[in-house]
Amino acid sequence: MIYTIIAQDMIRFVAIYFIFLLGFSQAFYLIFLSCERHDKLYHNGTAFNNIVSDPTESIQRLFIMTIGEFMIFYRTLNSCPIRTMNVIGKILFLIFELGVSLTQFNLLIAMLTRTYESIVNTRKEYKRQWAQVILALETSLSPKERLLAMQKYSKPIGTNKKKRAFVLNKKNNLTGDDTRIEKENKTELSIGGKRNILRRHLKDATSVFAKKVSNSTILDDVYKKKEFIDPNINHPNSVNLNVP
């Protein structure tokens, strides 16, 4: 996550901020230089104090103004004797404060938030970042150094020590949601198994009860027939129920 933020968002923000800072600093340098020349020409250098004497100092002044110290800069700009440069300088000052000091930092916060959300939504993002770091380290080493490093973390296969392999120890690193889902699945399976056992027992009990009911019904029919059939008469449909 930190690698992605530094490699993408921070570098992009610094590049955009440096472009704005460089452009506005040179514009303010020209404005202050014009005010200084006009003051030396018409007021003998007493009406205006130039705080931006060279382009490098102009960049430093704008960077300090971005942090929040802009009163000295604005007071000096307001004391410019040229009316046109005074108005242009105030317009540029307003654009710089709104476009750079506020918008740029809000843009940085938005980029960081988007990157964080995209990384959080991707569960295996850290593995990909780890692989990128490992590849970057391996490409920075020479072939001999990579071979020595490979011999440290690999193990030989069998008796041939030239054939080596990387041993992986698999671990179940489950998050809280995965653990909860796994427990719910186990609970559902256990409940389903208990239901199946109860259904089987109920089915067996029902079949036994049905057999008993059918046997008792047959006996009742036999006893009813016994009442209407004389045992002394040799009838073809008679049944001898006098079992000794």
Side-chain angles (χ1 to χ4, degrees):
M1 182 184 297
I2 303 298
Y3 177 79
T4 304
I5 290 173
I6 294 174
Q8 295 181 4
D9 297 334
M10 293 300 296
I11 294 176
R12 190 182 306 164
F13 170 76
V14 169
I16 296 172
Y17 175 73
F18 182 75
I19 291 171
F20 276 91
L21 188 67
L22 187 63
F24 278 95
S25 64
Q26 301 310 307
F28 280 115
Y29 170 71
L30 294 177
I31 291 172
F32 276 83
L33 184 62
S34 300
C35 295
E36 184 182 9
R37 288 180 179 179
H38 186 274
D39 181 54
K40 289 181 180 180
L41 184 61
Y42 295 100
H43 301 282
N44 296 323
T46 58
F48 182 77
N49 182 19
N50 189 8
I51 60 174
V52 182
S53 59
D54 55 75
T56 306
E57 188 175 357
S58 177
I59 295 174
Q60 295 176 359
R61 285 285 181 181
L62 283 187
F63 179 75
I64 294 172
M65 189 171 66
T66 305
I67 298 173
E69 183 61 37
F70 56 86
M71 291 301 298
I72 298 174
F73 190 90
Y74 183 78
R75 190 183 300 114
T76 306
L77 182 63
N78 192 31
S79 63
C80 180
I82 305 176
R83 181 68 179 175
T84 305
M85 291 297 173
N86 195 340
V87 174
I88 294 174
K90 289 180 180 179
I91 293 172
L92 288 177
F93 177 82
L94 182 62
I95 294 173
F96 182 80
E97 285 294 325
L98 294 177
V100 178
S101 299
L102 297 178
T103 308
Q104 289 290 319
F105 286 102
N106 289 329
L107 179 63
L108 175 62
I109 294 171
M111 288 192 299
L112 295 178
T113 304
R114 185 193 63 181
T115 305
Y116 177 78
E117 289 178 353
S118 63
I119 292 173
V120 169
N121 293 330
T122 306
R123 292 184 176 180
K124 296 183 179 180
E125 179 66 20
Y126 73 95
K127 292 184 179 180
R128 190 175 67 84
Q129 296 292 337
W130 184 26
Q132 286 183 353
V133 173
I134 292 173
L135 289 175
L137 290 174
E138 287 184 352
T139 53
S140 64
L141 298 175
S142 62
K144 292 183 179 180
E145 291 176 345
R146 286 201 297 268
L147 182 60
L148 292 174
M150 185 187 69
Q151 291 179 356
K152 290 181 180 179
Y153 63 76
S154 62
K155 293 183 179 181
I157 302 174
T159 57
N160 189 2
K161 294 185 178 181
K162 292 183 179 180
K163 294 182 179 180
R164 307 180 70 87
F166 180 67
V167 180
L168 292 175
N169 294 323
K170 187 177 180 181
K171 295 182 180 179
N172 293 325
N173 295 324
L174 299 177
T175 59
D177 295 335
D178 295 335
T179 306
R180 180 176 55 80
I181 293 170
E182 187 177 359
K183 288 182 179 179
E184 289 178 356
N185 293 331
K186 288 182 179 179
T187 305
E188 290 179 357
L189 290 175
S190 62
I191 293 173
K194 290 179 180 179
R195 287 178 180 175
N196 292 329
I197 293 171
L198 290 174
R199 287 175 183 174
R200 194 180 302 113
H201 288 322
L202 182 61
K203 186 177 180 181
D204 295 339
T206 305
S207 62
V208 171
F209 180 75
K211 288 180 181 179
K212 289 182 179 180
V213 170
S214 62
N215 292 332
S216 62
T217 305
I218 293 171
L219 291 174
D220 291 339
D221 293 339
V222 170
Y223 285 124
K224 287 179 181 179
K225 289 180 180 180
K226 180 181 177 182
E227 294 177 356
F228 295 100
I229 298 174
D230 189 1
N232 297 321
I233 300 173
N234 189 9
H235 195 273
N237 294 326
S238 63
V239 179
N240 187 9
L241 298 176
N242 295 323
V243 179

